[in-house]
Amino acid sequence: MAYVDNTMIIRRDLLARMADLFNDGKLVEGLDRIPLEMAPRNRENSDRCCIFKERVIIKEKLIPLLGFELEEDRDELKTLGEYATEALERENPIDKILTVVDEACTSCVQNSYIVTNLCKGCVAHPCMMNCPKEAVSWNANGQAQIDPKTCINCGICMNVCPYHSIIYMPVPCENACPVGAITKNEHGKEQIDEDKCIDCGKCITACPFGSIMENSQIIDIMKSLKSDQETIALVAPALYGQFKFKTENVIGAIKELGFHDVIEVAKGANVTTENEADELLERLEDKAPFMTTSCCPAYVSAVKKHIPNMEQYVSHTKSPMYYAAEIAKKQYPNAKVVFIGPCIAKRREGMSDPNVNYVMTFEELSGLFAGWNINIDGNAIELDRSIKNHGRAYAASGGVAQSVLEVKPYVNIKPVIVNGIDKKKINMLKAFAKTGKTSGNFIEVMACEGGCIAGPSSNYDPKTGSKLYEKNLSEIISAE
């Protein structure tokens, strides 16, 4: 969920500054000045221990935005200008999705249970008496203390404390990850296990220090836009919940960036709906207990890596991005195709799709608008009236099931909506896969609670995004 916080503001500021320098042709010589400008020597307050660490962290955050992984053995004396030169010269972006800025990672405490100053040092000592590992003792002030080396985080001490003076304090990124893909290394810094990671992006929005970053493709996209290369934008249906402007104006602004054409992915969603509905009907006729959607790449990845028993139930129908990219390539066979959406996992899907060259998030799009001084409320481009509106409904949780019901109203479809993936939902899906039983026959799964409009790289929080989405969608429907 993209709730506004200072780490998000900093990330978007960095994107805008990069885009501005690129647009002025000063990326190589100007990039190294960004940390100095954002953390000047005469700054009154610093978010870190000192401005010098802050500058290092700003530099480290710019490296993945340039499209490079932060490797442990990297040359720390290598300038941002040198990274920029490599980015401008490379043919293809790297295939790594997420990276941890270890300088920004604060090494959150290992043990999750903390004794607060509310401890009364009571005679009963229930926390100490019931600890299975004898991790609780008394300090010189007569208050309880927990030894992190022996604590196993069972939570018994918190449950038995009569004063509620022991609290659970999770590590935000680890707590948010639904599949346990992020843990501490031997130095206490977070690391991401690629074999477990489903690229859902929940760790990015959860980290209060902004220490987890995407390896962006924005440099590669800007290079394509500024070249003679025909470049086509595919905009996800979640677009309708991203800007406080009419959709026609936002699409006009995207085209003003230099895109030859802008195609709504809702056009591809129309194809997905038809194919999904036909496949569901065929499976039900073959007595399958249920079928699940295949549109959310984070969910598909979760199935492959963590719920293999579910794979037999996942639809073979391709995602809206896949079909929209096919449409774009048929119309513009020599063009570079850029998918624009709120999803980090789409980067992974885009890498495996021969018709998609790059993936850009709405956060990056906003940075590009700001850096290139694009007036979003300027030129309006008429929407494609051939698109059926059930394709535009895909961005909200329940939208896929709603679309299939609209196409096949005569079929006995009983949707089960899995609105967001967390640890509990993963276990629930494992139970569905193991038993082959659920309360319905069509399971729609979206990794983000609220649907794609609440993706990790959305411009607004889920509530605001949902209101914008419903408003813009109703305006599109009423205009027909």
Side-chain angles (χ1 to χ4, degrees), residues 56-342:
V56 169
I57 290 171
I58 292 169
K59 176 188 174 181
E60 297 277 276
K61 287 186 175 184
L62 280 164
I63 294 170
L65 291 181
L66 286 165
F68 295 99
E69 181 185 357
L70 284 170
E71 298 172 336
E72 286 189 15
D73 59 347
R74 63 187 175 277
D75 180 3
E76 293 184 32
L77 295 179
K78 187 174 179 179
T79 66
L80 289 170
E82 290 174 302
Y83 279 108
T85 300
E86 288 182 25
L88 293 171
E89 292 175 352
R90 70 175 172 231
E91 293 294 322
N92 298 301
I94 65 171
D95 59 1
K96 182 106 181 272
I97 307 295
L98 297 172
T99 193
V100 177
V101 182
D102 54 9
E103 288 293 342
C105 181
T106 60
S107 304
C108 299
V109 292
Q110 182 66 47
N111 60 312
S112 298
Y113 291 91
I114 307 293
V115 181
T116 70
N117 58 9
L118 295 175
C119 176
K120 301 296 183 182
C122 62
V123 175
H125 295 356
C127 54
M128 183 175 74
M129 300 294 290
N130 291 281
C131 178
K133 293 295 180 180
E134 299 182 352
V136 183
S137 61
W138 251 244
N139 62 24
N141 295 325
Q143 291 183 316
Q145 61 185 10
I146 299 173
D147 182 358
K149 293 180 180 178
T150 53
C151 176
I152 58 171
N153 293 315
C154 64
I156 292 174
C157 58
M158 183 183 74
N159 293 331
V160 299
C161 177
Y163 292 104
H164 304 285
S165 65
I166 300 175
I167 61 169
Y168 174 70
M169 190 175 77
V171 177
C173 59
E174 293 181 16
N175 190 56
C177 180
V179 292
I182 185 163
T183 54
K184 290 178 176 61
N185 61 18
E186 65 272 19
H187 306 296
K189 301 295 176 107
E190 298 297 333
Q191 59 183 3
I192 299 170
D193 186 340
E194 292 290 323
D195 293 331
K196 292 181 178 179
C197 181
I198 60 173
D199 305 306
C200 64
K202 294 180 187 290
C203 55
I204 289 181
T205 56
C207 179
F209 289 89
S211 62
I212 304 170
M213 301 281 291
E214 295 176 73
N215 296 316
S216 177
Q217 298 175 356
I218 194 168
I219 294 292
D220 308 271
I221 293 165
M222 290 192 293
K223 282 161 55 181
S224 185
L225 290 172
K226 290 296 185 182
S227 71
D228 296 330
Q229 173 70 55
E230 218 171 35
T231 310
I232 309 300
L234 305 179
V235 289
L239 174 76
Y240 320 129
Q242 300 299 316
F243 297 93
K244 294 180 179 179
F245 301 96
K246 289 190 174 182
T247 304
E248 294 89 338
N249 294 92
V250 179
I251 290 179
I254 293 172
K255 193 164 185 182
E256 196 177 335
L257 288 168
F259 286 99
H260 182 78
D261 196 4
V262 181
I263 297 173
E264 287 187 69
V265 175
K267 198 178 186 75
N270 287 159
V271 182
T272 296
T273 301
E274 295 288 344
N275 292 348
E276 193 100 302
D278 289 340
E279 185 180 355
L280 175 61
L281 181 58
E282 184 180 323
R283 290 201 186 204
L284 294 179
E285 287 174 348
D286 290 340
K287 306 301 180 184
F290 58 81
M291 183 181 84
T292 84
T293 54
S294 55
C295 299
C296 174
Y299 163 63
V300 172
S301 183
V303 168
K304 289 179 179 177
K305 294 183 178 182
H306 303 280
I307 325 172
N309 292 343
M310 183 65 86
E311 202 154 5
Q312 61 183 312
Y313 301 113
V314 177
S315 167
H316 296 145
T317 298
K318 301 295 185 181
S319 73
M321 181 184 80
Y322 177 90
Y323 293 118
E326 269 196 339
I327 292 167
K329 279 295 187 181
K330 283 179 183 177
Q331 196 170 348
Y332 306 102
N334 299 317
K336 295 282 188 182
V337 174
V338 180
F339 173 85
I340 306 174

Side-chain angles (χ1 to χ4, degrees), residues 233-478:
L234 305 179
V235 289
L239 174 76
Y240 320 129
Q242 300 299 316
F243 297 93
K244 294 180 179 179
F245 301 96
K246 289 190 174 182
T247 304
E248 294 89 338
N249 294 92
V250 179
I251 290 179
I254 293 172
K255 193 164 185 182
E256 196 177 335
L257 288 168
F259 286 99
H260 182 78
D261 196 4
V262 181
I263 297 173
E264 287 187 69
V265 175
K267 198 178 186 75
N270 287 159
V271 182
T272 296
T273 301
E274 295 288 344
N275 292 348
E276 193 100 302
D278 289 340
E279 185 180 355
L280 175 61
L281 181 58
E282 184 180 323
R283 290 201 186 204
L284 294 179
E285 287 174 348
D286 290 340
K287 306 301 180 184
F290 58 81
M291 183 181 84
T292 84
T293 54
S294 55
C295 299
C296 174
Y299 163 63
V300 172
S301 183
V303 168
K304 289 179 179 177
K305 294 183 178 182
H306 303 280
I307 325 172
N309 292 343
M310 183 65 86
E311 202 154 5
Q312 61 183 312
Y313 301 113
V314 177
S315 167
H316 296 145
T317 298
K318 301 295 185 181
S319 73
M321 181 184 80
Y322 177 90
Y323 293 118
E326 269 196 339
I327 292 167
K329 279 295 187 181
K330 283 179 183 177
Q331 196 170 348
Y332 306 102
N334 299 317
K336 295 282 188 182
V337 174
V338 180
F339 173 85
I340 306 174
C343 181
I344 291 170
K346 278 293 180 187
R347 290 200 196 279
R348 184 74 64 196
E349 184 185 344
M351 290 172 186
S352 62
D353 190 329
N355 292 324
V356 176
N357 299 97
Y358 308 116
V359 173
M360 178 164 63
T361 66
F362 286 129
E363 184 175 70
E364 291 169 334
L365 177 64
S366 295
L368 205 48
F369 282 156
W372 288 13
N373 297 313
I374 301 296
N375 178 18
I376 304 176
D377 202 18
N379 297 326
I381 291 180
E382 186 178 357
L383 302 181
D384 187 343
R385 299 300 171 187
S386 70
I387 296 174
K388 297 175 183 176
N389 282 316
H390 63 71
R392 294 187 170 110
Y394 267 56
S397 180
V400 182
Q402 174 191 326
S403 302
V404 172
L405 283 165
E406 189 174 323
V407 170
K408 300 287 183 184
Y410 52 87
V411 179
N412 186 25
I413 300 173
K414 298 176 182 176
V416 175
I417 308 301
V418 180
N419 182 18
I421 292 178
D422 54 22
K423 295 178 178 73
K424 190 178 291 185
K425 298 281 181 60
I426 289 286
N427 288 332
M428 181 183 73
L429 290 166
K430 285 180 178 178
F432 289 167
K434 185 177 180 180
T435 63
K437 295 178 181 179
T438 182
S439 58
N441 55 23
F442 184 54
I443 305 175
E444 178 193 309
V445 187
M446 288 197 179
C448 299
E449 189 174 342
C452 301
I453 48 177
S457 296
S458 298
N459 283 334
Y460 294 106
D461 63 89
K463 188 176 180 180
T464 304
S466 182
K467 285 182 179 178
L468 283 171
Y469 173 75
E470 290 170 9
K471 175 179 175 289
N472 285 324
L473 204 57
S474 64
E475 287 178 358
I476 292 169
I477 293 169
S478 62

